[in-house]
Structure formats: C-alpha cells, structure tokens
Amino acid sequence: EEVENQWYYEGRNGWWKYDERSNAELESAFNAGDADCALLLAGAVYTIDFQNMIQFRRNDPTRRRRVRRDTPTLPAKGVAGIKNI
Ligand code: V3L
C-alpha cells in the first residue's frame, strides 16, 4: 500500500526517504498541528522542526539537515541510509 505523503531528509547530493514507521509518525504529528516531532533515528534522538523544516540531533543541534514533505515519487537516494539499487 503506497503512502500519500513521504518525508525526506537531506543527504550530500540528494534526498533520503525516512523509514516507513518514522514517516507515519511524522505525518501523524504534522497533521495534528504539532510544532515538532521527536524520533529515534540510527540510535540517536532527533527533533524534526516543522516550522523550519529541519532535523537535528537532540545532543548536537548544530548538525542540521533540511527535510521536506512531498510526493513519494520524488527521486531519492534510498530509504534511511539503504541505497536504491
Ligand atoms: N534516518 C536514518 N538515518 C539518519 C537520519 C534519518 N532521518 N538522519 C540522520 N541519519 P547527523 P550521504 C545519513 C544518520 O545528521 O552519502 C544517510 O542516511 C546519517 O545517515 O549528522 O551523505 C546515510 O546513511 C548519519 O550516518 O546527525 O547522502 C549517510 O548519512 C548519522 O545519522 C550518508 O548519506 C549522523 O547524521
């Protein structure tokens, strides 16, 4: 079953899709009108800030990535660090 909206985070030369569970949590928080969403990603707690459309690690907020919410058909590098083949 295909999702309506896909969340992406910025890589070095393109966009990565969030994993399916994180995508569902982001959609839920975004549609509820929350200001942000907390997610455990690759073993660290991150904040996804919907006002500024960025994500950053809770314990190192200086490392920021842009995020976007778009159609699932956008070209992407892969899903959550797993490269497309
Ligand atoms: N989902 C999964 N892993 C993440 C996410 C996320 N939303 N955010 C960060 N990481 P930072 P290229 C990324 C990983 O921002 O070649 C990609 O998934 C992040 O992984 O400094 O630059 C790739 O695996 C990084 O390993 O806190 O496009 C990898 O970078 C680590 O958390 C290389 O991608 C620290 O990210």
Side-chain angles (χ1 to χ4, degrees), residues 34-53:
D34 294 354
D36 53 43
C37 180
L39 290 177
L40 187 64
L41 301 166
V45 182
Y46 285 77
T47 298
I48 292 79
D49 172 345
F50 297 139
Q51 265 74 50
N52 297 300
M53 289 299 274

Side-chain angles (χ1 to χ4, degrees), residues 9 11-12 16 18 41-42 46 55 57 63 65 77 80-81:
Y9 62 96
R12 270 178 295 188
W16 292 96
Y18 281 83
L41 301 166
Y46 285 77
Q55 71 156 50
R57 237 199 269 200
R63 293 147 64 93
R65 292 174 190 265
K77 298 187 73 172

Side-chain angles (χ1 to χ4, degrees), residues 12-70:
R12 270 178 295 188
N13 49 354
W15 296 90
W16 292 96
K17 293 184 178 190
Y18 281 83
D19 68 273
E20 190 176 332
R21 183 193 166 91
S22 296
N23 196 66
E25 290 189 20
L26 286 165
E27 273 300 283
S28 176
F30 182 81
N31 289 318
D34 294 354
D36 53 43
C37 180
L39 290 177
L40 187 64
L41 301 166
V45 182
Y46 285 77
T47 298
I48 292 79
D49 172 345
F50 297 139
Q51 265 74 50
N52 297 300
M53 289 299 274
I54 52 167
Q55 71 156 50
F56 53 87
R57 237 199 269 200
R58 280 271 174 87
N59 66 7
D60 188 0
T62 61
R63 293 147 64 93
R64 307 143 61 110
R65 292 174 190 265
R66 291 190 297 160
V67 304
R68 66 190 293 183
R69 178 180 184 254
D70 216 318

Side-chain angles (χ1 to χ4, degrees), residues 2-8 23-24 27 31 69-72:
E2 197 49 90
V3 294
E4 259 183 78
N5 297 299
Q6 178 65 49
W7 286 81
Y8 299 85
N23 196 66
E27 273 300 283
N31 289 318
R69 178 180 184 254
D70 216 318
T71 167

